[in-house]
Amino acid sequence: MELKPFKNFDEEYAYFSKDDFKPDIYYAIFDITLLLLNKGYKIIGKFKNKNDVFLLISRKKFNDEEPSNITIVDKLNSFYILYDMDFYNKNIVLAESYNEVVKKVISGEVDLRLIFKEYYDQLDQETKDSINIVKEMSLDTGHHFLVSKEFYETHQNSIKAFIKALELEEISEENTNKLKIYQKSGNIIRESVIRSMLLESLKDINKVIISADTEKGLFERICQDLVDKSRFKFVWVGKKEGEFIKPMHKCGEDNGYVDNLKISVRKDIPEGRGPAGIAYRENRIVINENTFTSEVMKFWKDELLKRDIYSSLSIPVEKNGRVCAVISVYSNITFSFKKEFMTIFEELKKDLSFALEKIDKDKESIVLRKAADDAKMWLLITSKEGLIEYVNQYVLDLTGYKKEEVIGKSPSIFKSEYQDEKFYEELWDSILSNKPFSAIFVNKTKNGNIIYIDQTIYPVVLNDGTMKFLFVGKDITNEKVLSQELDKYRFYDTLTELPNFLAFKFYVSDIVENKRYKDFALILIDIYNMSFVNSTYGFDVGNEVLKEVANILKQEFQEGFVARIGNDEFGIFVPDIESESILIYKIRSLLDRKIKTTKNEISISYNVSIVLSDVANADFEEVYSNAVVTLNLSKKEGENVIKFYESEVNTRLQEYIISEKLVERAFDEGLFRFYFQPYLGSKDLKIVGFESLVRIVDKDGTVYAPYKFIDYLKNSKYIMHFEEWALKEISDKIRIFKSLNKDISISLNLSAKGILSLPDDSFIEKLASVPVDIQDNLVLEITERNIIKNIEKSKKIFKSIKELNKHIKISIDDFGTGYSSLAYLKHLPIDILKIDISFVRGITTDRHDFSIVKFIIGLSKDFGFKTLAEGVETKEQVDILSSMGVDYFQGFYFAKPMPENEAIKFVLDNMKKSK
Amino acid sequence: MSMLNCTYENTIKALWEDYLKTGTIDQELLKKIVSFEWEKV
């Protein structure tokens, strides 16, 4: 006889779950026993001593380790055993069959397993050898014979006989109740295990959701996960196409089921009344707990049962509030999807919707990101702190940096030296106040090459309030280089490669009008003899000269701006000039040299005009025309003239230049002369001596007074030569005058209108070289002002002079103007006090002057000094001074300063008169 | 017994009916019923 048993427990369970499946009599395992009890069946008995015996087994080598997981088949009694052994808190792995359970243990996939003893008994020896029995457990229950209520009531007697024939053990009411307790406990454990398994699946699915970046990828992976990691037979995802739901993805063993599916979204046809159709239409999860019994599965039941599918689940997936797909999951276990797990399925539904929406959003940002990455534009994003968070490939390609070299750095990594701090300050001011900033940035590549980026920086505030800066720019280096090339032709002189007049005008205008420099000079240089050079040596040489001059000027005025502004004219803008004299010196030293050409060395002559910033207008045209006018004036004065644009302010400077030239020429041509003004004894009007006064006497007879050159001379390099010359000249003159009158003294003026403010050690050395007999007739004049500036030093110097020769006389010039206390005079070895001309002049009209002069004369007598009245011009003054007791007169009343020959004549005449 | 190709649930019934008819239990059949029960899992 052939029996046709249920294919497996699930089929059996599914069958018995149907309300209308009611065999009269049945021999049932534990789970089915309980199912039948719920249907009103009655247990008539079980075989004596035939309880369910379970073995807890491990693989052979699994010793005393704490087991972390256990595998069981999905049966209530197994769950009850777990409950009874307190094992339900272990990680529980459900297996399809005992065969699978054994495989998992032997492979080490799980630590422990629970199997029926009967199953173990029929295993082959090899398998048994690889297994270790940890524990044997017996339930006081097992397989039962059950009969339906109706059958029991109508067949009581025959049932009794049947029990007897089989020697069945009757089950008391109490034991039946115990079974129910087993069921309850087992069910609790089962549910919690399945719940946690579903949650575990959900977790896996969430991982997929996070990482999926396309809808297709998401569904494919979810299908795969549900089949691989959960115990589902197959899964498919369908989307609406017309009025049908077409499967788009599937996974698992569907044996052709999915491909032949016909599911509609319409309610009025059977194909539309299945779980997927309802799920789609009504946007709700539809559970098929038992294919046998489920109303919604009617249309597909046969096909599903062929494939042992006893339960299924259809989940609608929403996107932006509308159902866009349905996921259907199939299990060959009845009650895989129970209504109790609905919250988990709802969670899954929500997660899937989120995932789809996220993918759409990501898709947008992925597209943007891709666009940004590949854009042929300069794109860079920084944090609010200005640290780079993103750069696109274009930036990296252009600058030669690697991504890791710029991320986290400031964009100043690209900064060149061409833009000043002010530029960057403006930038930050703008973007920090939320305004975009646009400019051409002169950037630098990793190799130091300059690139020009026409860039705008946008401050961007994100939804969460964070601020970012977006730098968007275009590389305009090529355009810039090209335009610079063009500028070269427009603004450059091709011969000298200097900027031309137009460039000079733009440059200087910008500086002058925007007052970029405080002190500057605008210089125009005209090469005076260019036409001579051209006609004598040829234009090629002339061009060489111009090129060489250009090179020299460019070299020397690197900090300035040199341009060729005309055929033979150069314009120079010099910022931050140190001093006018250095500027003149520089120009002269450049242009006075011979200009080297290939074959010759050519001297050039030139004219120069200079406009200084202190007299310059804030307008280029004005400044330039002043320079041109001044250049023309310079040309009128002849070759090699440097002329400053004059205003009142720089007249002094012009004088300085005149002085300089005068002094230079005086030395070169020996034009220094002493003039002599006599001073006479007040009583006899006999000549006592001369004050020597320096003059420059030009060859044409022009006499230059000291004020024309003395300021320059005192501060120039010529002062040492002058001292030497003066002492020698004085010595010569003393010898001459001494030959006429041995008592005549000559005074050398060391005061402001003389040479030195105070004689110094080097002067005393020079003085020592003067013959002693000449020294005897020497008077050194020093102004009171210079003495009181440094009395101690004066004292020391005067002492040295007197030590050298006590006959050298010391005279204090301009006395009375220093307003000093006369007390200090007492300690100085002074011979003569010269009363200043200003007092002498007022002596007849001003009581105050009268009193001062009288006082000075009186005091001098007390101290033993001689007094000399300067600037005596009238008879009246002579009389008053005589009455006051002054010792000597000097002034126009007696004689003006005169040249040597006249002085000699004056001596001779005086001597005659005195006789 | 004419129970060839009977489904399992009907087999138990058949066993029962056979017993009522003959007063004996078909031990072979019983063994099969009992053994199949655990093989299903």
Side-chain angles (χ1 to χ4, degrees):
Chain A
M1 190 193 62
E2 288 298 323
L3 272 183
K4 232 175 145 186
F6 290 106
K7 271 187 260 177
N8 51 41
F9 169 75
D10 296 303
E11 189 190 52
E12 187 183 11
Y13 197 86
Y15 263 91
F16 280 93
S17 302
K18 291 163 67 179
D19 291 342
D20 58 350
F21 189 73
K22 288 179 175 176
D24 291 336
I25 179 163
Y26 198 67
Y27 182 61
I29 63 158
F30 184 75
D31 287 55
I32 304 293
T33 301
L34 292 164
L35 208 57
L36 290 174
L37 281 174
N38 287 340
K39 282 185 171 185
Y41 276 64
K42 191 165 170 55
I43 298 172
I44 57 172
K46 66 185 252 295
F47 289 116
K48 281 177 190 160
N49 305 319
K50 259 302 214 159
N51 286 336
D52 283 350
V53 178
F54 285 91
L55 297 178
L56 186 65
I57 60 168
S58 70
R59 66 180 180 278
K60 206 73 184 175
K61 284 176 185 164
F62 190 83
N63 298 324
D64 298 330
E65 294 165 44
E66 176 68 21
S68 67
N69 51 32
I70 181 167
T71 183
I72 60 168
V73 289
D74 184 7
K75 300 283 180 309
L76 275 180
N77 50 5
S78 298
F79 283 110
Y80 177 72
I81 294 283
L82 293 186
Y83 170 76
D84 201 39
M85 289 192 309
D86 273 350
F87 266 9
Y88 56 88
N89 57 352
K90 297 274 179 280
N91 179 17
I92 294 162
V93 181
L94 291 182
E96 299 266 334
S97 66
Y98 285 127
N99 285 336
E100 198 193 332
V101 174
V102 171
K103 262 189 239 157
K104 283 189 172 175
V105 170
I106 295 174
S107 69
E109 203 180 313
V110 289
D111 296 336
L112 297 175
R113 62 179 176 168
L114 196 62
I115 56 170
F116 260 140
K117 187 167 181 300
E118 276 113 330
Y119 177 80
Y120 175 82
D121 290 342
Q122 53 86 52
L123 289 172
D124 61 52
Q125 197 49 48
E126 196 190 338
T127 312
K128 282 181 178 168
D129 288 347
S130 60
I131 287 171
N132 183 31
I133 296 171
V134 180
K135 198 173 177 182
E136 186 176 307
M137 285 150 295
S138 177
L139 284 179
D140 52 358
T141 176
H143 290 60
H144 301 88
F145 281 96
L146 296 108
V147 291
S148 67
K149 206 177 160 193
E150 298 79 22
F151 192 81
Y152 180 76
E153 280 163 5
T154 52
H155 296 82
Q156 286 206 10
N157 289 334
S158 48
I159 289 170
K160 271 181 192 162
F162 185 75
I163 293 168
K164 203 175 169 190
L166 285 178
E167 297 176 348
L168 296 181
E169 181 187 325
E170 286 194 67
I171 307 295
S172 66
E173 193 70 23
E174 186 191 336
N175 272 3
T176 306
N177 287 339
K178 210 184 216 174
L179 288 182
K180 288 182 180 167
I181 293 169
Y182 289 164
Q183 182 200 22
K184 215 171 185 178
S185 322
N187 258 334
I188 292 170
I189 304 301
R190 182 176 187 263
E191 249 181 48
S192 81
V193 167
I194 291 180
R195 185 182 292 276
S196 64
M197 280 171 55
L198 286 171
L199 285 171
E200 206 57 39
S201 299
L202 195 64
K203 227 190 271 173
D204 285 337
I205 287 168
N206 281 335
K207 272 185 215 159
V208 172
I209 286 170
I210 292 165
S211 59
D213 50 14
T214 64
E215 191 176 298
K216 187 168 175 270
L218 173 79
F219 285 136
E220 276 175 0
R221 284 192 57 194
I222 283 175
C223 291
Q224 194 73 47
D225 254 38
L226 287 166
V227 170
D228 291 352
K229 296 187 178 168
S230 311
R231 297 179 306 148
F232 304 121
K233 198 76 178 169
F234 64 92
V235 182
W236 63 271
V237 180
K239 294 186 89 172
K240 185 172 175 260
E241 255 187 41
E243 60 176 46
F244 296 100
I245 294 176
K246 282 267 179 197
M248 316 297 282
H249 315 284
K250 65 166 187 171
C251 194
E253 295 168 29
D254 69 312
N255 296 324
Y257 176 78
V258 176
D259 294 338
N260 294 314
L261 267 181
K262 200 178 171 198
I263 294 173
S264 171
V265 292
R266 285 168 57 183
K267 199 181 176 181
D268 58 342
I269 53 169
E271 290 92 335
R273 293 199 287 267
I278 297 170
Y280 188 89
R281 210 168 41 243
E282 298 180 17
N283 189 11
R284 66 176 172 92
I285 295 165
V286 180
I287 292 173
N288 153 37
E289 288 189 331
N290 183 354
T291 309
F292 277 107
T293 58
S294 173
E295 266 300 305
V296 293
M297 294 315 286
K298 257 187 195 165
F299 198 76
W300 294 276
K301 186 171 125 184
D302 293 344
E303 284 300 313
L304 287 175
L305 289 176
K306 264 190 221 167
R307 293 167 175 83
D308 304 335
I309 299 302
Y310 302 113
S311 60
S312 66
L313 175 73
S314 288
I315 306 173
V317 185
E318 272 181 276
K319 192 163 83 177
N320 305 318
R322 293 186 62 177
V323 178
C324 72
V326 176
I327 297 185
S328 294
V329 188
Y330 296 82
S331 166
N332 44 20
I333 298 166
T334 330
F335 301 111
S336 277
F337 311 105
K338 295 183 74 171
K339 294 197 171 67
E340 287 88 333
F341 304 139
M342 193 54 110
T343 50
I344 297 176
F345 304 138
E346 290 286 358
E347 185 67 27
L348 177 61
K349 179 176 183 275
K350 267 191 243 160
D351 290 351
L352 287 170
S353 296
F354 168 78
L356 287 183
E357 285 164 19
K358 174 181 167 280
I359 284 167
D360 271 6
K361 274 185 201 152
D362 285 357
K363 215 188 279 169
E364 266 172 45
S365 60
I366 285 166
V367 170
L368 287 175
R369 175 69 181 250
K370 179 94 180 120
D373 280 347
D374 295 351
K376 296 285 167 228
M377 288 197 84
W378 176 278
L379 275 179
L380 190 148
I381 299 171
T382 73
S383 61
K384 192 189 177 187
E385 291 70 37
L387 300 178
I388 299 172
E389 291 179 344
Y390 170 81
V391 282
N392 71 349
Q393 195 55 41
Y394 189 72
V395 173
L396 300 175
D397 289 347
L398 201 62
T399 59
Y401 282 103
K402 287 184 184 143
K403 199 171 187 172
E404 57 271 24
E405 290 175 312
V406 295
I407 297 292
K409 304 270 168 53
S410 155
S412 62
I413 189 171
F414 304 121
K415 196 163 136 180
S416 68
E417 305 302 320
Y418 288 83
Q419 279 156 326
D420 56 14
E421 285 309 312
K422 210 178 149 210
F423 174 81
Y424 291 99
E425 275 169 28
E426 276 173 25
L427 182 163
W428 281 108
D429 283 352
S430 170
I431 60 173
L432 285 178
S433 52
N434 232 354
K435 286 179 205 140
F437 179 84
S438 294
I440 290 171
F441 284 69
V442 188
N443 283 353
K444 203 174 64 184
T445 68
K446 193 178 178 183
N447 293 336
N449 294 333
I450 292 300
I451 47 173
Y452 293 86
I453 308 294
D454 185 355
Q455 188 170 237
T456 303
I457 305 174
Y458 299 95
V460 180
V461 180
L462 303 182
N463 289 341
D464 63 358
T466 29
M467 195 178 201
K468 306 267 173 189
F469 297 120
L470 173 64
F471 296 58
V472 183
K474 208 173 91 187
D475 173 29
I476 54 159
T477 309
N478 287 339
E479 290 90 325
K480 199 78 189 168
V481 168
L482 205 63
S483 85
Q484 280 174 353
E485 281 296 311
L486 284 174
D487 283 352
K488 228 178 185 170
Y489 290 105
R490 209 177 136 216
F491 292 113
Y492 278 72
D493 168 48
T494 44
L495 173 68
T496 59
E497 292 184 357
L498 286 178
N500 61 15
F501 176 73
L502 201 55
F504 187 70
K505 181 181 168 179
F506 284 159
Y507 181 85
V508 179
S509 299
D510 175 56
I511 285 171
V512 171
E513 281 153 28
N514 293 305
K515 297 191 166 66
R516 293 200 194 280
Y517 292 99
K518 194 169 158 277
D519 299 312
F520 64 81
L522 184 80
I523 305 168
L524 301 187
I525 297 174
D526 178 71
I527 309 298
Y528 192 72
N529 56 344
M530 269 321 288
S531 51
F532 171 77
V533 172
N534 284 334
S535 59
T536 313
Y537 299 97
F539 279 98
D540 287 346
V541 176
N543 285 345
E544 274 189 68
V545 169
L546 288 170
K547 269 160 99 171
E548 184 59 16
V549 171
N551 284 338
I552 291 168
L553 294 175
K554 207 154 54 172
Q555 189 65 33
E556 286 301 320
F557 292 100
Q558 278 178 11
E559 72 287 6
F561 187 90
V562 181
R564 187 185 174 202
I565 55 169
N567 278 343
D568 311 332
E569 273 180 30
F570 294 91
I572 307 171
F573 178 86
V574 190
D576 300 326
I577 49 162
E578 294 167 51
S579 78
E580 296 85 344
S581 50
I582 289 176
L583 194 62
I584 293 162
Y585 179 77
K586 201 167 176 178
I587 294 169
R588 287 226 190 273
S589 67
L590 293 177
L591 300 179
D592 284 343
R593 69 175 80 163
K594 288 193 168 174
I595 304 298
K596 279 183 190 161
T597 64
T598 331
K599 289 177 186 164
N600 315 77
E601 282 195 349
I602 295 170
S603 295
I604 52 166
S605 42
Y606 52 85
N607 286 99
V608 176
S609 70
I610 300 173
V611 180
L612 295 173
S613 51
D614 54 0
V615 292
N617 277 295
D619 170 53
F620 171 78
E621 296 298 338
E622 194 80 17
V623 175
Y624 182 70
S625 72
N626 286 340
V628 171
V629 169
T630 311
L631 187 66
N632 289 336
L633 289 174
S634 155
K635 283 179 187 169
K636 274 184 198 161
E637 288 183 21
E639 294 172 33
N640 301 346
V641 172
I642 297 178
K643 206 161 174 60
F644 279 79
Y645 167 67
E646 282 189 55
S647 74
E648 284 176 25
V649 183
N650 72 349
T651 309
R652 186 185 55 76
L653 186 74
Q654 204 64 27
E655 285 169 357
Y656 181 88
I657 296 164
I658 294 168
S659 304
E660 180 200 26
K661 283 188 125 181
L662 189 63
V663 168
E664 272 175 25
R665 220 153 49 79
F667 269 101
D668 288 349
E669 299 170 18
L671 305 181
F672 283 111
R673 294 282 181 279
F674 273 124
Y675 268 44
F676 302 94
Q677 187 175 29
Y679 49 94
L680 314 167
S682 61
K683 287 175 184 148
D684 51 12
L685 297 181
K686 271 173 83 176
I687 189 159
V688 179
F690 287 103
E691 179 181 0
S692 65
L693 297 157
V694 71
R695 298 283 185 274
I696 291 175
V697 182
D698 219 337
K699 284 179 177 158
D700 63 0
T702 314
V703 179
Y704 296 96
Y707 75 89
K708 292 260 188 196
F709 58 85
I710 211 76
D711 280 348
Y712 172 80
L713 182 61
K714 273 199 291 187
N715 300 308
S716 76
K717 63 183 178 184
Y718 300 109
I719 187 64
M720 297 291 273
H721 297 298
F722 183 79
E723 277 176 24
E724 278 172 23
W725 173 85
L727 271 176
K728 190 176 174 298
E729 183 77 0
I730 285 289
S731 303
D732 289 350
K733 302 309 163 202
I734 288 176
R735 195 167 298 286
I736 289 168
F737 288 115
K738 234 183 144 173
S739 69
L740 305 174
N741 178 345
K742 68 176 172 54
D743 296 324
I744 288 180
S745 296
I746 307 281
S747 53
L748 178 62
N749 210 323
L750 300 178
S751 69
K753 53 183 177 180
I755 311 158
L756 293 164
S757 46
L758 262 181
D760 55 12
D761 291 339
S762 80
F763 177 80
I764 291 174
E765 266 175 42
K766 283 176 202 144
L767 191 61
S769 66
V770 173
V772 178
D773 65 317
I774 298 297
Q775 288 174 2
D776 289 345
N777 292 54
L778 183 65
V779 181
L780 296 176
E781 280 190 22
I782 300 148
T783 61
E784 181 194 11
R785 275 172 205 277
N786 286 323
I787 293 169
I788 60 170
K789 262 187 217 162
N790 198 335
I791 289 177
E792 284 311 306
K793 195 177 167 192
S794 306
K795 209 189 270 182
K796 196 171 153 257
I797 293 289
F798 290 176
K799 196 171 165 235
S800 304
I801 292 170
K802 289 287 181 186
E803 277 169 6
L804 177 69
N805 185 341
K806 62 176 183 180
H807 298 296
I808 297 175
K809 293 185 185 69
I810 295 171
S811 165
I812 307 299
D813 204 359
D814 299 341
F815 190 82
T817 55
Y819 302 107
S820 56
S821 151
L822 293 174
Y824 71 89
L825 294 176
K826 218 168 33 177
H827 307 290
L828 293 174
I830 292 167
D831 300 287
I832 303 162
L833 277 185
K834 292 183 81 171
I835 302 162
D836 191 69
I837 188 168
S838 57
F839 300 114
V840 175
R841 203 170 278 156
I843 199 167
T844 54
T845 51
D846 188 325
R847 282 184 53 79
H848 183 71
D849 288 346
F850 180 90
S851 306
I852 288 175
V853 174
K854 201 178 171 191
F855 175 72
I856 293 171
I857 293 169
L859 193 80
S860 297
K861 288 200 189 304
D862 289 348
F863 290 158
F865 308 148
K866 298 284 186 201
T867 49
L868 185 152
E870 284 184 303
V872 180
E873 288 172 0
T874 62
K875 175 80 174 62
E876 208 180 348
Q877 288 165 347
V878 172
D879 291 343
I880 291 172
L881 288 164
S882 287
S883 69
M884 285 176 179
V886 76
D887 296 301
Y888 309 124
F889 294 126
Q890 181 182 350
F892 285 8
Y893 183 74
F894 301 100
K896 290 179 182 176
M898 56 192 93
E900 183 191 338
N901 52 350
E902 287 178 30
I904 290 171
K905 192 170 173 283
F906 187 87
V907 175
L908 293 174
D909 287 349
N910 185 267
M911 282 166 70
K912 273 185 201 164
K913 278 183 197 164
S914 307
K915 278 182 184 172
Chain B
M1 258 178 47
S2 56
M3 295 192 304
L4 282 172
N5 297 323
C6 283
T7 56
Y8 177 77
E9 69 271 20
N10 291 333
T11 315
I12 301 165
K13 184 76 183 297
L15 180 81
W16 161 265
E17 282 170 349
D18 189 48
Y19 163 72
L20 288 183
K21 234 184 269 175
T22 61
T24 55
I25 297 287
D26 182 341
Q27 289 298 325
E28 275 303 304
L29 189 56
L30 180 64
K31 209 187 274 176
K32 277 185 180 170
I33 291 169
V34 170
S35 67
F36 274 130
E37 190 53 39
W38 60 258
E39 276 178 2
K40 284 204 297 277
V41 285

